């Protein structure tokens, strides 16, 4: 049986940063990723990464405390403040570390790291590399990984590219390893480890209208959920205000940070008429702008009752070429318009999963030796609504913390645990996969997936209410039943992407169920969770985290307190 001191599941920013930190502590690590690490969704991040560097000082000072306050306020006071303080205090160090590793950040005229305004701050706090920030960051970290691999003589860092983790194995509340499938050969193996770090990204593909990559299925958090680890705050789903009409491709918040306007069908900048976004207009937090776009369209001021315009023309060709070249390329490639000449048709779409694997500010879960970081984790720094630019920061800061803590934990462990449990689990996984391959039912996986996406898009969207959520819950239950009748077109072992799709679909369904159950129970509106039947925030009953436990009969809910330090909950007014 293969053994690694620490296994990192996920090769995105959080996973790579965690693996670097494990290695810095002279502990052996392996990274398992279902795609090549450079194809992780992190590579698609566009607009920026927040840190209070004050590189655009114009009479406004910035520091970790201001950044922390904006984050907590943006989260509608659901964020855990100990974690937010940790993240904002570490932000500048992590950015300078990336700079020293060669990250090609855009620069100010004086040669400092350039920053642009993103939601929540109202002034420049997001560091960026044009509109390809995730690409620059991910390649910087991957170079560190490659450099380390080349420098080390022993097998201190092993990369399992294109391996899918199907199970997390826990023995007496201690994590002992994972079961994973080599997608190319179809071999299924048990891998023993004294610590496992989950860094498996977001779950956006439970929706159809989403900016997320096809790989962001939800299975990454379903695996620990199935093993008994609770998911936290799954009802909080971020809808990004600006996705390209008909394509769902993100038009970064950087477009508005650079000065872009949102226009209705009368050519007016309409956000100012809504009380909650009057001051910050286009750079108010995302939940507020997304709701106001939908309200504007519903009131008859959209185009074709379905979209509004993002206007960049006044920024001029030079600025668009320099600061938003990727946005221009996407618009020209996908809808044939040049944003320096025509406004961009946009509408809101699913973008980010605020909820995830329940863990604390040390990235520790309730299971010993199991850690989580990045979008799959709910630490929780984003609470009910994430600020633009804070997710990339979250991956880097908490990837580092998870790696450090996992390395320290394994250094104190003696003896070998879990081999029998891993072997038993391996046998069960093989039996389950064999059953799927031999199933003669009549259900097509793609039909179930499309139906799930439609339910989530129409009934668990920006505006929610009890009756639509109840319907969504019943319909998802029915899909879970139909899943047992699924039939594969091909049951061979090598590169069976149909089989991978079916395994992931189970994750889609169960994660969607957790999201709906959390949303149905939470009878208030907070951040991105807006209930038309309970339009007010209700701190006396709902200033608490939702915990979702997996059971054979569906999601069981529980609750846990929010960590509050110096930022006392107040009404969120802008
Ligand atoms: C289009 C877009 C633009 C964005 N722009 C910004 C931005 O400008 N600023 C910002 O702060 N945030 C942005 N975000 C959000 C941010 O990019 C993500 O939250 C962040 O990059 C997630 O990183 P991660 O390391 O947690 O996960 P990912 O980068 O998604 O990586 C997940 C990894 O897990 C692996 N994996 C998953 N499940 C399994 C499994 N079962 N077995 C094996 N491997 C598995 C995958 O192979 C992958 O390597 C953007 C998001 C999108 C979609």
């Amino acid at each position: 049986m293969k053994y690694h001191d620490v296994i990192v599941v996920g090769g995105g920013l959080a996973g790579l940063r965690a693996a670097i930190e494990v290695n810095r502590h002279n502990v052996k690590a392996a990274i398992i990723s279902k795609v090549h690490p450079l194809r992780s969704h992190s590579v698609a991040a566009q607009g920026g990464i927040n840190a209070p560097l004050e590189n655009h000082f114009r009479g406004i000072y910035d520091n970790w405390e201001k950044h922390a306050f904006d984050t907590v306020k943006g989260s509608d006071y659901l964020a855990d403040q100990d974690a937010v303080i940790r993240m904002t205090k570490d932000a500048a160090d992590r950015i300078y570390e990336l700079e020293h590793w060669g990250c090609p950040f855009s620069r100010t005229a004086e040669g400092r790291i350039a920053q642009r305004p993103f939601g929540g701050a109202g002034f420049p706090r997001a560091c960026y590399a044009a509109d390809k920030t995730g690409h620059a960051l991910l390649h910087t970290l991957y170079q560190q990984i490659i450099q380390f691999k080349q420098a080390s003589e022993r097998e201190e860092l092993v990369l399992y590219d294109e391996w899918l983790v199907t199970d997390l194995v826990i023995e007496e509340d201690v994590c002992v390893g994972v079961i994973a499938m080599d997608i190319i050969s179809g071999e299924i193996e048990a891998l023993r480890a004294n610590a496992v770090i989950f860094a498996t990204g977001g779950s956006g593909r439970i929706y159809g209208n989403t900016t997320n990559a096809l790989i962001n299925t939800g299975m990454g958090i379903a695996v620990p959920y199935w093993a008994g680890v609770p998911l936290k705050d799954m009802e909080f789903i971020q809808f990004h205000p600006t996705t390209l009409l008909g394509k769902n491709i993100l038009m970064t918040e950087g477009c508005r940070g650079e000065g872009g306007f949102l226009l209705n069908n009368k050519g007016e900048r309409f956000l100012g008429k809504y009380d909650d976004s009057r001051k910050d207009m286009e750079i108010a937090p995302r939940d507020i702008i997304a709701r106001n776009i939908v309200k504007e369209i519903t009131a008859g001021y959209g185009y074709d009752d379905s979209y509004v315009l993002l206007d960049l023309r006044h920024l001029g060709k030079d600025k668009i070429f320099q600061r938003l070249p990727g946005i221009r390329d996407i618009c020209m490639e996908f809808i044939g318009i040049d944003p320096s000449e025509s406004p961009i048709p946009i509408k809101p779409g699913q973008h980010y999963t605020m909820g995830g694997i329940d863990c604390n500010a040390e990235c520790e879960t309730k299971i010993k030796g199991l850690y989580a970081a990045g979008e799959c984790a709910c630490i929780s720094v984003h609470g009910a609504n994430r600020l633009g630019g804070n997710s990339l920061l979250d991956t880097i800061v908490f990837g580092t913390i998870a790696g450090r803590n996992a390395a320290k934990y394994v250094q104190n462990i003696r003896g070998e645990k879990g081999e029998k449990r891993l072997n038993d689990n391996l046998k069960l996984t093989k039996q389950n996969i064999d059953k799927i391959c031999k199933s003669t039912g009549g259900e097509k996986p793609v039909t179930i997936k499309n139906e799930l996406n439609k339910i989530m898009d129409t009934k668990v969207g920006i505006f929610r209410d009890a009756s639509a959520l109840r319907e969504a819950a019943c319909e998802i239950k029915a899909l879970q039943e139909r899943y047992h009748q699924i039939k594969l077109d091909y049951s061979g072992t090598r590169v069976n992407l149909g089989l991978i799709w079916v395994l992931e679909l189970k994750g889609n369904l169960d994660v969607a169920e957790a999201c709906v159950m959390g949303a149905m129970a939470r009878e208030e509106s907070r951040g991105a969770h807006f209930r038309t039947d309970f339009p007010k925030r209700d701190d006396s009953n709902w200033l608490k985290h939702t915990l979702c436990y997996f059971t054979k009969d569906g999601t069981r809910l529980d609750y846990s307190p929010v960590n509050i330090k110096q930022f006392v909950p107040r009404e969120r007014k802008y």
Side-chain angles (χ1 to χ4, degrees):
M1 185 179 289
K2 291 192 168 85
Y3 169 77
H4 303 281
D5 292 332
V6 178
I7 288 179
V8 180
V9 187
L13 284 171
L16 295 188
R17 187 60 192 82
I20 291 168
E21 200 63 21
V22 172
N23 277 136
R24 277 181 159 182
H25 286 76
N26 296 321
V27 169
K28 291 184 188 177
I31 302 171
I32 306 182
S33 176
K34 65 183 178 183
V35 293
H36 185 279
L38 291 176
R39 307 194 71 175
S40 303
H41 186 63
S42 292
V43 82
Q46 299 176 347
I49 173 166
N50 288 340
L53 304 184
E54 280 193 326
N55 285 354
H56 286 263
F57 183 80
R58 287 201 184 89
I60 314 164
Y61 75 96
D62 199 6
N63 59 20
W64 72 262
E65 209 158 4
K66 264 187 141 183
H67 185 185
F69 173 67
D70 290 339
T71 302
V72 170
K73 185 169 99 169
S75 83
D76 226 349
Y77 293 91
L78 192 70
D80 282 324
Q81 297 183 12
D82 56 342
V84 173
I85 289 168
R86 192 78 201 267
M87 178 174 83
T88 50
K89 277 188 170 171
D90 282 5
D93 286 350
R94 293 284 79 83
I95 296 292
Y96 291 133
E97 182 177 64
L98 285 159
E99 182 189 38
H100 295 169
W101 285 342
C103 184
F105 285 115
S106 295
R107 298 280 159 177
T108 64
E110 306 82 49
R112 293 162 179 241
I113 295 174
Q115 295 181 280
R116 57 168 51 127
F118 252 41
F123 56 84
R125 183 184 283 150
C127 313
Y128 60 94
D131 55 1
K132 297 171 185 172
T133 312
H135 189 273
L137 295 175
L138 195 63
H139 280 258
T140 302
L141 292 190
Y142 193 64
Q143 279 165 5
Q144 292 297 311
I145 296 276
I146 294 301
Q147 194 181 19
F148 185 84
K149 260 193 87 63
Q150 284 171 350
S152 70
E153 285 167 13
R154 288 171 295 138
E155 286 280 283
E156 283 169 340
L157 179 60
V158 180
L159 300 180
Y160 294 93
D161 294 345
E162 302 184 336
W163 282 60
L164 177 79
V165 170
T166 57
D167 297 82
L168 171 70
V169 185
I170 294 168
E171 188 174 56
E172 290 164 1
D173 285 341
V174 178
C175 175
V176 292
V178 298
I179 310 292
M181 179 201 277
D182 176 354
I183 296 173
I184 305 298
S185 69
E187 284 297 315
I188 304 164
E189 290 194 37
L191 294 96
R192 203 169 69 73
N194 281 335
V196 173
I197 300 173
F198 262 70
T200 46
S203 311
R205 285 277 160 177
I206 59 176
Y207 286 81
N209 178 12
T210 172
T211 63
N212 277 204
L214 284 168
I215 56 170
N216 290 4
T217 57
M219 185 174 178
I221 58 173
V223 169
Y225 178 51
W226 292 328
V229 183
L231 301 183
K232 188 161 76 192
D233 293 340
M234 287 305 295
E235 62 270 36
F236 295 101
I237 299 285
Q238 178 162 87
F239 297 87
H240 197 286
T242 57
T243 76
L244 192 61
L245 186 73
K247 308 290 174 196
N248 302 327
I249 303 174
L250 183 75
M251 297 284 104
T252 173
E253 188 167 320
C255 295
R256 286 169 282 129
E258 293 293 348
F261 297 148
L262 289 175
L263 304 178
N264 64 13
N265 64 12
K266 295 177 160 178
E268 294 164 350
R269 284 178 74 189
F270 58 91
L271 289 170
K273 67 182 173 195
Y274 297 98
D275 268 1
D276 48 5
S277 66
R278 188 173 292 156
K279 178 171 153 273
D280 291 323
M281 295 279 276
E282 277 87 359
I283 51 168
R286 292 175 177 176
D287 56 333
I288 292 176
I289 299 191
R291 276 196 295 275
N292 290 341
I293 291 175
V294 175
K295 282 186 201 161
E296 191 72 0
I297 294 171
T298 314
Y301 299 118
Y303 291 86
D304 296 340
D305 289 335
S306 64
Y307 67 95
V308 293
L309 297 175
L310 170 62
D311 194 355
L312 306 182
R313 289 173 296 181
H314 54 285
L315 303 184
K317 263 197 163 64
D318 286 352
K319 194 165 183 183
I320 292 176
F321 267 108
Q322 201 195 345
R323 301 282 178 84
L324 301 165
I327 290 299
R328 182 171 177 273
D329 287 349
I330 292 169
C331 288
M332 299 201 36
E333 195 75 34
F334 286 89
I335 57 166
I337 65 155
D338 179 344
S340 65
E341 289 166 7
S342 316
I344 310 167
I346 58 94
K347 67 174 199 174
Q350 193 286 344
H351 181 58
Y352 187 82
T353 318
M354 260 83 72
I357 301 162
D358 175 32
C359 55
N360 62 20
E362 295 295 332
C363 302
E364 295 159 339
T365 67
K366 294 192 168 59
I367 304 299
K368 264 199 164 157
L370 177 66
Y371 302 80
E375 191 169 339
C376 72
C378 184
I379 288 181
S380 114
V381 278
H382 310 302
N385 172 61
R386 166 174 80 82
L387 292 187
N390 265 356
S391 169
L392 292 179
L393 180 63
D394 164 5
T395 64
I396 301 291
V397 167
F398 291 104
T400 311
I401 292 172
R404 186 185 308 143
N405 287 341
K408 285 189 181 157
Y409 169 77
V410 299
Q411 280 165 342
N412 295 321
I413 290 195
R414 301 276 167 272
E416 299 191 348
K417 265 191 116 176
E419 196 148 331
K420 180 174 175 324
R421 176 62 64 97
L422 276 153
N423 274 326
D424 292 347
N425 214 309
L426 176 65
K427 216 182 282 169
L428 285 177
T429 305
K430 284 183 172 171
Q431 280 167 5
N432 178 38
I433 290 178
D434 199 44
K435 200 169 132 203
I436 293 174
C437 289
K438 289 186 178 142
S439 166
T440 53
E443 290 288 352
K444 276 186 185 292
V446 64
T447 313
I448 295 189
K449 176 79 183 345
N450 288 346
E451 286 185 30
L452 173 70
N453 287 165
K454 193 160 165 222
I455 296 167
M456 296 303 288
D457 283 343
T458 55
K459 296 179 178 167
V460 201
I462 294 178
F463 292 101
R464 305 160 171 191
D465 64 50
S467 91
L469 289 168
R470 243 194 319 270
E471 279 172 31
C474 291
E475 288 166 12
I476 291 172
K477 266 265 166 296
L479 292 180
Q480 286 166 326
E481 285 303 314
R482 282 166 56 191
Y483 178 86
H484 298 299
Q485 303 305 319
I486 240 161
K487 182 176 175 342
L488 278 179
D489 291 333
Y490 163 66
S491 56
T493 47
R494 286 188 67 80
V495 201
N496 190 341
L497 295 181
L499 173 61
I500 305 293
W501 183 255
V502 168
L503 295 173
E504 300 232 23
L505 183 56
K506 173 98 175 72
N508 276 175
L509 290 165
D510 292 348
V511 165
E513 183 190 31
C515 169
V516 173
M517 298 316 283
M520 210 154 71
R522 188 173 282 273
E523 295 185 332
E524 66 154 355
S525 290
R526 182 185 297 273
H529 171 70
F530 195 92
R531 290 278 303 253
T532 50
D533 44 356
F534 297 96
K536 291 253 173 314
R537 196 176 88 192
D538 174 4
D539 281 349
S540 44
N541 291 307
W542 288 103
L543 184 56
K544 57 188 179 187
H545 296 295
T546 306
L547 295 177
C548 303
Y549 289 86
F550 179 75
T551 75
K552 278 203 301 299
D553 305 318
T555 308
R556 177 175 68 78
L557 295 180
D558 199 354
Y559 294 91
S560 67
V562 176
N563 178 294
I564 299 201
K565 299 260 186 229
Q566 61 264 55
F567 308 114
V568 180
R570 284 189 289 192
E571 197 186 342
R572 195 168 65 132
K573 268 202 162 201
Y574 291 90

